[in-house]
């Protein structure tokens, strides 16, 4: 390296570190000039530990060694003031109280002339005394380990300090390279970072040390709450916010009741509409002879998705028929079909809108996140409040839970259409309708079909959950198997649900593959 290059590097290091630049320039050159591990020592990092990392902005160093030092300090604290045998000693005292009570009962029985009962009580007291002696021995043995734990903690602390000293310059040199490449790494000492590190240590270390080194931490911390509540309350029982939770829960109940009363006709209309669709599907699937339904379904699969899907469909339907699950399976197909169809009918237009309007998607994204991350059982609460129980509420719960994937993936597919392709189509005179149906939707179709697939699978997952609110079908069979631990029934019912979903999905995906010529 030429003198000019060396000088430029030193100036760069000086600009980066701002303080003790000569030291860091020398250490960085040593690290960069050697392959493998470089023995570079940083006394300040070894002494200050995580605080050095916070001041220099090396946050990986800060968090790693904050945890490691805390672990070592916990061992030191346990060895110095930790009451290692406190649990066994407390057990020993409880056993002594029980022994005294048994002996008193034996004396009373003896005074009443019941020698057999007195002998039994004394025998119990003798057994308890043996257990008390063992508890005392265990407490003594635990207390004798204090010195070993203390020495172990000191050894760990020394090892952590050595690791901090030897690793600090390596971590800081890596940060220097990120800063030099323009990736926004911190340069110099940041006072606000140092303050944040100090606050973090004070927030984490004292309570953690107290929790893991003191025998009764609640009693030790209880004094801090006395000024707030007028009594000494353990910190683990501090009733923060309980009254707000109860008040808010009561308001939510009132809101649900108000909506159910004032918009009951709307909810009843929605329920009636979904019930009519389900009734029609069930009449078609259940009242018709099952060989007829099987034949028509296999022919549809053959015409729309090809011979392989038709063979699989026939095998799945034969399984349902010969296992005696046909009626339950058709109810489940009606539920899945109605729920998935509503998800597609509502979700794809919304996905197209969100794919074209980033502002609309930005508003809808938190709602979609809520719909996907909220536990599925929670959906049953408002569904029951507004729509009651039965199959239509099960379809609505499926709609809420299973619609986000088709919306997200439709929007993703629409945004993935190249702008140059759309500009070329417009240049050739495409109207907005032609652009959508002849250019954007065909190019976004793979992503849309993936969204439909995910929606069908999520609708399938809601079948068992919806059975909790009266949705019949194979979900009720699985629920019964769970209640009575009927392993065979549960497995066979689960396979039936799987086959139903796979048939629906394979036919839907087969339509797309046949049109595009995909294998």
């Amino acid at each position: 390296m030429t003198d000019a290059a060396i000088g430029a590097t030193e100036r760069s290091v000086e600009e980066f570190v701002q303080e003790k630049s000569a030291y860091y320039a020398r250490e960085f050159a040593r690290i960069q000039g050697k392959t493998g591990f470089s023995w570079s020592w940083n006394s300040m990092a070894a002494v200050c530990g995580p605080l050095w990392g916070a001041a220099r902005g090396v946050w990986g160093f800060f968090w790693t060694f904050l945890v490691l030092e805390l672990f070592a300090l916990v061992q030191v604290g346990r060895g110095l003031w930790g009451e290692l045998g406190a649990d066994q000693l407390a057990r020993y005292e409880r056993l002594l109280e029980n022994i005294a009570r048994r002996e008193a009962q034996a004396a009373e029985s003896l005074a009443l002339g019941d020698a057999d009962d007195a002998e039994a009580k004394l025998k119990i007291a003798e057994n308890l005394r043996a257990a008390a002696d063992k508890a005392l021995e265990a407490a003594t043995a635990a207390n004798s380990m204090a010195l070993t734990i203390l020495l172990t903690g000191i050894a760990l602390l020394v090892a952590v300090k050595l690791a901090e000293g030897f690793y600090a310059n390596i971590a800081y040199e890596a940060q220097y390279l990120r800063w030099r490449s323009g990736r926004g790494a911190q340069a110099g000492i940041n006072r606000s970072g140092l303050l944040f590190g100090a606050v973090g240590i004070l927030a984490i270390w004292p309570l953690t040390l107290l929790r893991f080194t003191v025998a009764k931490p609640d009693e030790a911390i209880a004094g801090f709450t006395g000024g707030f509540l007028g009594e000494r309350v353990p910190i683990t029982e501090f009733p923060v916010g309980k009254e707000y939770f109860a008040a808010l829960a009561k308001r939510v109940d009132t809101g649900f009741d108000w909506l159910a009363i004032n918009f009951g006709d709307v909810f009843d209309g929605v329920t009636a509409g979904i019930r009519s669709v389900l009734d029609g599907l069930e009449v078609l699937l259940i009242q018709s002879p099952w060989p007829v339904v099987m034949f028509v379904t296999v022919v549809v699969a053959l015409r729309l998705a090809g011979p392989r899907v038709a063979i699989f469909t026939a095998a799945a339907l034969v399984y349902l028929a010969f296992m005696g699950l046909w009626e339950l399976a058709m109810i489940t197909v009606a539920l899945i079909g109605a729920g998935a169809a509503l998800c597609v009918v509502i979700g794809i237009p919304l996905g197209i809108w969100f794919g074209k309007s980033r502002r609309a998607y930005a508003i809808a994204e938190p709602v979609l996140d809520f719909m996907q991350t909220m536990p599925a059982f929670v959906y049953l609460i408002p569904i029951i409040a507004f729509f009651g129980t039965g199959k239509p509420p099960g379809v609505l719960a499926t709609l809420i839970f299973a619609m986000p994937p088709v919306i997200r993936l439709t929007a993703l597919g629409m945004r993935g259409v190249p702008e140059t392709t759309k500009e070329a189509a417009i240049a050739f005179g495409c109207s907005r309708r032609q652009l959508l149906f002849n250019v954007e939707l065909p190019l976004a179709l793979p992503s849309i079909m993936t969204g439909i697939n995910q929606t069908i699978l999520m609708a399938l997952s809601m079948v068992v959950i919806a059975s909790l609110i009266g949705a019949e079908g194979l979900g009720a069979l699985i629920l019964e198997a769970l209640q009575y631990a009927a392993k065979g029934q549960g497995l066979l019912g689960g396979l039936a649900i799987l086959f139903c979903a796979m048939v629906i999905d394979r036919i839907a995906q087969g339509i797309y593959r046949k049109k595009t010529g995909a294998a």
Side-chain angles (χ1 to χ4, degrees):
M1 186 179 292
T2 63
D3 293 341
I6 293 173
T9 301
E10 290 179 350
R11 288 192 297 273
S12 175
V13 172
E14 181 178 0
E15 182 182 356
F16 172 69
V17 302
Q18 299 178 7
E19 297 183 15
K20 300 182 67 177
S21 58
Y23 164 77
Y24 282 108
R26 183 179 69 251
E27 297 300 323
F28 287 178
R30 177 185 298 176
I31 294 170
Q32 294 169 2
K34 185 177 181 180
T35 58
F37 185 80
S38 178
W39 295 95
S40 176
W41 175 258
N42 190 321
S43 300
M44 184 61 68
V47 172
C48 298
L51 286 176
W52 176 88
R56 290 290 183 178
V58 191
W59 292 107
F61 180 96
F62 170 80
W63 290 111
T64 299
F65 287 103
L66 180 141
V67 173
L68 291 176
E69 280 196 22
L70 177 59
F71 180 75
L73 290 173
V74 166
Q75 306 309 314
V76 173
R78 290 180 64 210
L80 285 176
W81 63 77
E83 300 176 25
L84 302 178
D87 292 340
Q88 292 295 330
L89 194 59
R91 181 169 180 266
Y92 171 74
E93 293 174 353
R94 290 195 301 271
L95 288 171
L96 288 183
E97 293 176 359
N98 202 350
I99 289 169
R101 186 166 58 252
R102 296 292 182 178
E103 290 177 345
Q105 291 173 355
E108 291 177 2
S109 298
L110 192 61
L112 295 174
D114 193 348
D116 292 338
D117 185 64
E119 183 179 357
K121 294 290 193 301
L122 290 174
K123 183 63 176 178
I124 295 174
E126 183 180 351
N127 293 335
L128 292 175
R129 189 173 300 279
D133 292 339
K134 289 182 180 180
L136 184 60
E137 290 176 5
T140 304
N143 286 327
S144 66
M145 292 292 294
L147 180 59
T148 302
I149 294 175
L150 173 61
L151 294 177
T152 302
I154 293 174
L156 285 173
L157 187 59
V158 170
V160 170
K161 289 296 181 183
L162 290 173
E164 289 171 347
F166 283 116
Y167 179 68
N169 287 337
I170 297 174
Y172 202 36
E173 188 267 344
Q175 179 164 313
Y176 163 67
L177 294 179
R178 290 196 299 272
W179 172 84
R180 192 171 181 178
S181 63
R183 285 185 282 173
Q186 176 187 316
I189 295 178
N190 189 328
R191 267 63 181 180
S192 61
L194 178 61
L195 178 62
F196 174 82
V199 171
I201 291 174
L202 291 175
I204 295 172
W205 279 9
L207 286 176
T208 306
L209 285 170
L210 193 61
R211 170 64 181 83
F212 288 103
T213 60
V214 177
K216 298 179 180 179
D218 282 342
E219 294 182 3
I221 303 174
F224 293 109
T225 63
F228 296 104
L229 302 177
E231 57 180 346
R232 298 172 66 84
V233 179
I235 194 69
T236 54
E237 300 178 7
F238 192 65
V240 178
K242 288 184 178 179
E243 65 277 14
Y244 301 113
F245 178 85
L248 184 59
K250 185 177 293 185
R251 287 184 177 275
V252 171
D253 290 341
T254 304
F256 273 110
D257 294 340
W258 183 84
L259 288 173
I261 293 171
N262 290 276
F263 296 92
D265 294 338
V266 176
F267 299 139
D268 291 342
V270 173
T271 302
I274 295 176
R275 181 176 287 111
S276 63
V277 173
L278 287 174
D279 290 343
L281 288 173
E282 289 181 6
V283 168
L284 182 65
L285 295 173
I286 298 174
Q287 301 300 324
S288 302
W290 69 266
V292 175
V293 175
M294 177 185 294
F295 177 77
V296 172
T297 306
V298 172
V299 171
V300 169
L302 178 63
R303 298 289 296 172
L304 297 179
R308 287 188 296 180
V309 175
I311 293 172
F312 172 78
T313 301
L317 295 178
V318 166
Y319 172 84
L320 297 176
F322 283 92
M323 287 293 164
L325 300 175
W326 182 265
E327 183 173 346
L328 294 177
M330 292 304 103
I331 294 174
T332 301
V333 168
L335 290 171
I336 296 176
L342 286 173
C343 289
V344 171
V345 169
I346 299 173
I348 289 180
L350 288 176
I352 294 171
W353 178 31
F354 297 153
K356 288 179 170 292
S357 173
R358 292 191 177 274
R359 179 178 297 178
Y361 186 72
I363 296 172
E365 189 172 18
V367 179
L368 296 175
D369 292 338
F370 175 84
M371 293 168 68
Q372 282 191 285
T373 56
M374 181 65 69
F377 286 98
V378 178
Y379 292 131
L380 303 182
I381 299 172
I383 290 295
I384 293 173
F386 296 145
F387 302 99
T389 59
K391 298 172 187 176
V395 173
L396 291 170
T398 302
L399 177 67
I400 298 172
F401 184 71
M403 191 164 54
V406 72
I407 295 177
R408 288 182 185 275
L409 289 168
T410 300
L412 180 64
M414 296 296 294
R415 289 199 300 269
V417 177
E419 291 294 331
T420 53
T421 303
K422 292 190 284 187
E423 291 172 0
I426 293 173
F428 279 99
C430 273
S431 65
R432 295 182 62 181
R433 183 179 180 280
Q434 290 173 326
L435 179 66
L436 174 63
F437 286 99
N438 297 334
V439 177
E440 293 177 315
L441 284 179
L443 292 176
L445 192 57
S447 181
I448 295 173
M449 294 306 298
T450 303
I452 292 173
N453 170 266
Q454 294 300 309
T455 290
I456 291 173
L457 294 179
M458 295 188 76
L460 164 69
S461 69
M462 283 296 294
V463 169
V464 178
I465 297 174
S467 66
L468 293 171
I469 58 173
E472 300 173 3
L474 293 170
L477 184 71
I478 302 298
L479 182 62
E480 181 182 348
L482 288 172
Q483 291 173 337
Y484 297 102
K487 298 175 282 296
Q489 175 181 327
L491 179 60
L492 295 176
L495 288 175
I497 294 176
L498 174 65
F499 289 149
C500 292
M502 289 180 68
V503 166
I504 296 172
D505 176 65
R506 293 298 183 272
I507 293 175
Q509 296 292 329
I511 298 171
Y512 163 70
R513 293 192 182 98
K514 190 173 182 179
K515 286 183 177 180
T516 58

